[in-house]
Amino acid sequence: MCGIVGYTGNRKVVPILLEGLRRLEYRGYDSAGLVYQSERKLVKFRAAGKLIHLEEAVDVAIGVASHTGLGHTRWATHGAPTLDNAHPHSDCTGELVVIHNGIIENYGSLKEELVAEGHFFSSETDTEVLAHLIEKYLENDLVAAVQKALARVEGSYALGVMWAKDPNKIVAARNQSPLVMGVDDEASYVASDVPALLPYTRKVIFLDDNELVVLEKGSYTIMEVDSGREISKKICTIDWNAAMAEKAGFKHFMLKEIFEQPQAILNTVSGRIIPDTGEVELPEISLSGEELCNIERIALVACGTSWHAALVAKYWIEKWVGIPVDVDIASEFRYRKLLMNERVLTLSISQSGETADTLAGIRLASSLGSKIVTICNVVGSTMTREADGIIYTHAGPEIGVASTKAFTGQLSALFMLTLYLGQVRQTMDREKLKELGAALIDVAGVIERILPQLQKDIQELIERYYDSRDFLFVGRGLNFPIALEGALKLKEISYIHAEGYAAGELKHGPIALIDKDMPVMALVPQDCVYQKTVSNVEEIKARQGRLLLIGTEGDTHLATLTDDVLYLPQVNEELNPLLYTIPAQLLSYEIANRRGCDVDQPRNLAKSVTVE
Ligand code: F6R
């Protein structure tokens, strides 16, 4: 939610800011802006809409010999996505600027106070109060003024501040919104997320809440916001590289990321599942065998696609480990009465590790005595720093706003965790562990093999579906969450209204929607609920629903039900969720692409949801 980037060093700043914003645009694309220091003045450019408009506006400034600046890409919370509301925001003098990610919750009362004192506002944003509040406290010391202003603020922020009278300096601070610094000998960087730094440095420092950093050319000072006490922090080296965050010849990041899934699965299990012995090694979980044996319940907490991964995990863990599992949407979990104690393990699932609701959920669970393990894709993200244990998915940077490879990475990690719990609690014997561990590795190979032809088959099919107004996705058992995921993918990138249902639930209401104009993608693998799912498909056919079936190779019965059948190889049925996700993703992608939608940056969305 909003991307921020800052640089001070020896190089020309405008291209660095633009490149950083390009890499952060997935965080928001309602408007963009930047500011750079020009002698003792600040020069500001802003544009409504996508980054391209800012790029056109700053064309003239690309070669400017300024070496310090800030950039911002906005996901609107307070105030429409207009030019006036685009960041950076200035104080009354225009000599001080602020960029911000987060929400200043008490901005209304602060604004009233500042207006009464004669400050003039030019936007509807909550951010602008920060600029005026810092101005109010500014005498000669920018850092002191920022500290005083932040002491008055309630809410979340990652912010960057520059003052024309204190040139070549950036002050940045964080509370509940992500902020990472990049360091090298000659320059200092700050950004919302690591991809913005990858072309320049892989040495980073993740800032925590109540931390402020003063960046100067090649040096930095980190301190606590409230006390001003200096602190030293560990420099981490990131193992992603800049090319991993490029499209590599694919039309969209989403398509590239769909094709990266076999590798993402293998990277996630590599070194953790030992194929010869069936052993699973997960030392990063940081819980002893005794602690794992004492768990009486598992609470899974996540949002969106990550929540769908949690729903699949409930089936796996309850079946193979015999521990009851609750699955919650984080925004609900955090506001309901939680029955938690030290015998409940809370597991958060998040690609970004920054999702505000999920973070709040684990903080709450932790305060009630629960141990926290997070399954996360972004190394060093807030969730990983707050959890007791971590299982990283090694899917690599996911840039497309619609999550794909992170999802199959999460499923792989959750399946591996199931095996690990089965091993530690001895609910699975060695042979079973070996069989299922091998099946997980196998499914990566199967997906790799089928992807190119499946894409071609779907490209042909979608001519009959791309202009639909509505779409249903149905599945049973392990594939019910995949139906939900298919519907989410389609609606978020193609704007077609779509719903996912448990196939057996249709007759309790949604079947009323079925007629000749209602496409239904049904997931019908030959698994333990196959006959039941086929009966549900028959019910749809009887009401003239337009069936698109995804089933197991060799299942000739499906072809008697509809002309549109896509066949997938038989894999161990526990792993069907990974396999059956692929046609749902490709269908959504191809339909959105055919409709000319902006696949990687769908309207109204942002990848990292750091506000509640
Ligand atoms: C959908 C999608 C979102 C995210 C959700 C949680 O394609 O990407 O639904 O899954 O915002 O994000 P993370 O996993 O970063 O917590």
Side-chain angles (χ1 to χ4, degrees):
M1 290 263 116
C2 296
I4 74 176
V5 60
Y7 170 84
T8 179
N10 290 324
R11 301 169 60 173
K12 289 181 179 159
V13 72
V14 175
I16 292 177
L17 297 179
L18 288 176
E19 178 63 22
L21 291 179
R22 191 176 67 76
R23 288 165 179 272
L24 293 178
E25 206 184 5
Y26 66 83
R27 299 181 64 86
Y29 28 85
D30 288 331
S31 64
L34 61 79
V35 61
Y36 60 82
Q37 181 91 38
S38 174
E39 296 179 349
R40 290 187 83 82
K41 284 211 312 255
L42 296 178
V43 180
K44 200 162 94 171
F45 288 91
R46 301 184 298 169
K50 297 210 166 183
L51 183 60
I52 178 92
H53 303 298
L54 178 70
E55 285 169 338
E56 285 160 11
V58 298
D59 198 29
V60 288
I62 295 278
V64 141
S66 168
H67 305 290
T68 304
L70 290 168
H72 186 271
T73 176
R74 177 169 187 247
W75 186 82
T77 58
H78 295 58
T82 58
L83 179 66
D84 284 343
N85 290 330
H87 301 214
H89 290 289
S90 304
D91 68 348
C92 297
T93 66
E95 290 182 336
L96 181 130
V97 291
V98 176
I99 55 168
H100 166 228
N101 167 30
I103 293 180
I104 305 303
E105 286 166 2
N106 59 339
Y107 85 102
S109 57
L110 290 172
K111 188 167 176 177
E112 258 175 45
E113 169 188 321
L114 291 159
V115 168
E117 288 169 5
H119 288 263
F120 174 76
F121 280 73
S122 54
S123 80
E124 304 154 321
T125 64
D126 53 331
T127 301
E128 197 183 348
V129 296
L130 288 171
H132 294 280
L133 201 56
I134 298 169
E135 177 186 16
K136 168 174 169 153
Y137 294 116
L138 189 55
E139 289 169 6
N140 283 318
D141 184 343
L142 179 61
V143 175
V146 171
Q147 282 179 283
K148 283 184 189 152
L150 292 182
R152 304 272 325 271
V153 155
E154 287 161 23
S156 56
Y157 54 77
L159 54 88
V161 187
M162 284 172 61
W163 185 31
K165 290 193 174 151
D166 194 356
N168 301 319
K169 179 186 279 184
I170 294 171
V171 177
R174 97 155 244 176
N175 183 45
Q176 293 173 39
S177 296
L179 203 56
V180 56
M181 289 170 51
V183 293
D184 68 27
D185 295 340
E186 294 180 349
S188 303
Y189 308 78
V190 67
S192 299
D193 201 355
V194 167
L197 308 177
L198 289 176
Y200 315 107
T201 181
R202 287 201 260 154
K203 286 202 258 162
V204 304
I205 297 174
F206 294 99
L207 294 182
D208 287 299
D209 287 350
N210 188 34
E211 286 180 358
L212 176 152
V213 61
V214 184
L215 301 175
E216 282 163 296
K217 193 169 80 179
S219 76
Y220 59 88
T221 311
I222 304 175
M223 61 184 77
E224 288 176 351
V225 176
D226 49 11
S227 68
R229 191 177 65 87
E230 272 191 38
I231 37 186
S232 77
K233 295 193 60 120
K234 195 171 113 214
I235 298 182
C236 309
T237 305
I238 299 293
D239 63 1
W240 293 354
N241 61 44
M244 287 164 93
E246 298 291 346
K247 283 191 206 147
F250 285 88
K251 183 170 177 191
H252 295 102
F253 278 111
M254 181 179 176
L255 187 61
K256 174 188 170 235
E257 288 160 3
I258 289 173
F259 274 78
E260 283 174 342
Q261 290 181 107
Q263 198 55 51
I265 296 169
L266 291 178
N267 289 348
T268 299
V269 301
S270 160
R272 290 159 157 178
I273 292 183
I274 316 299
D276 294 345
T277 60
E279 209 164 322
V280 184
E281 292 178 2
L282 278 181
E284 324 88 286
I285 199 169
S286 302
L287 298 181
S288 66
E290 195 189 338
E291 282 174 305
L292 292 173
C293 286
N294 286 338
I295 293 168
E296 288 173 356
R297 185 159 53 88
I298 295 181
L300 297 180
V301 190
C303 300
T305 287
S306 300
W307 176 67
H308 297 152
L311 291 172
V312 175
K314 177 179 168 74
Y315 287 81
W316 284 333
I317 297 172
E318 290 189 341
K319 174 172 175 183
W320 294 106
V321 193
I323 307 178
V325 176
D326 295 338
V327 182
D328 269 277
I329 292 173
S331 54
E332 294 298 318
F333 180 81
R334 62 183 293 194
Y335 291 116
R336 74 175 170 81
K337 165 92 180 134
L338 293 183
L339 302 178
M340 281 275 163
N341 57 44
E342 64 289 348
R343 293 193 168 227
V344 180
L345 173 67
T346 301
L347 201 65
S348 69
I349 306 168
S350 176
Q351 189 286 128
S352 61
E354 302 293 350
T355 302
D357 286 318
T358 311
L359 257 175
I362 64 170
R363 284 173 183 158
L364 183 59
S366 172
S367 74
L368 296 171
S370 177
K371 284 266 186 259
I372 313 295
V373 171
T374 191
I375 294 187
C376 189
N377 195 41
V378 177
V379 175
S381 55
T382 309
M383 237 172 265
T384 65
R385 282 176 288 132
E386 296 199 6
D388 299 298
I390 311 165
I391 305 175
Y392 278 117
T393 47
H394 295 299
E398 189 179 70
I399 310 290
V401 164
S403 188
T404 52
K405 64 176 179 171
F407 178 63
T408 37
Q410 289 165 348
L411 290 177
S412 309
L414 286 160
F415 192 68
M416 220 165 44
L417 175 65
T418 306
L419 301 186
Y420 185 62
L421 290 172
Q423 171 181 293
V424 174
R425 293 171 66 112
Q426 298 183 351
T427 56
M428 298 171 78
D429 63 28
R430 184 63 58 207
E431 278 318 300
K432 198 48 147 180
L433 287 167
K434 218 165 148 180
E435 176 199 326
L436 292 180
L440 175 55
I441 294 169
D442 279 355
V443 85
V446 171
I447 295 172
E448 170 105 65
R449 188 155 51 78
I450 62 162
L451 260 169
Q453 187 57 44
L454 189 61
Q455 185 190 13
K456 287 197 188 106
D457 294 345
I458 288 177
Q459 277 165 345
E460 278 177 27
L461 260 182
I462 54 119
E463 284 308 311
R464 298 196 281 287
Y465 292 98
Y466 79 91
D467 58 355
S468 306
R469 220 189 50 179
D470 305 282
F471 225 106
L472 292 184
F473 290 75
V474 299
R476 289 185 83 121
L478 284 166
N479 287 304
F480 161 47
I482 304 309
L484 296 178
E485 173 60 6
L488 175 60
K489 285 290 90 92
L490 185 67
K491 66 186 134 192
E492 70 181 325
I493 60 171
S494 74
Y495 319 137
I496 294 175
H497 167 243
E499 305 270 0
Y501 275 100
E505 179 68 9
L506 281 187
K507 56 187 171 292
H508 299 289
I511 203 161
L513 294 168
I514 305 286
D515 64 12
K516 64 179 180 24
D517 297 321
M518 177 61 84
V520 185
M521 181 190 244
L523 309 175
V524 204
Q526 286 181 327
D527 59 9
C528 59
V529 282
Y530 171 72
Q531 289 301 347
K532 307 286 171 203
T533 318
V534 168
S535 300
N536 301 141
V537 167
E538 296 276 7
E539 290 154 13
I540 298 166
K541 182 178 162 67
R543 288 156 182 85
Q544 276 123 47
R546 291 170 60 199
L547 282 166
L548 165 51
L549 301 182
I550 317 292
T552 308
E553 267 169 12
D555 183 352
T556 49
H557 179 62
L558 298 185
T560 66
L561 300 172
T562 175
D563 290 340
D564 293 343
V565 188
L566 294 168
Y567 288 108
L568 300 177
Q570 178 93 57
V571 296
N572 185 308
E573 72 173 81
E574 296 298 322
L575 278 318
N576 275 335
L578 283 101
L579 185 60
Y580 280 70
T581 296
I582 310 297
Q585 292 171 340
L586 281 172
L587 179 91
S588 306
Y589 170 79
E590 293 297 345
I591 287 181
N593 188 36
R594 177 71 178 77
R595 288 163 72 95
C597 297
D598 192 341
V599 171
D600 283 333
Q601 295 178 348
R603 70 185 180 205
N604 304 338
L605 292 176
K607 185 140 188 84
S608 187
V609 186
T610 52
V611 294
E612 63 166 300

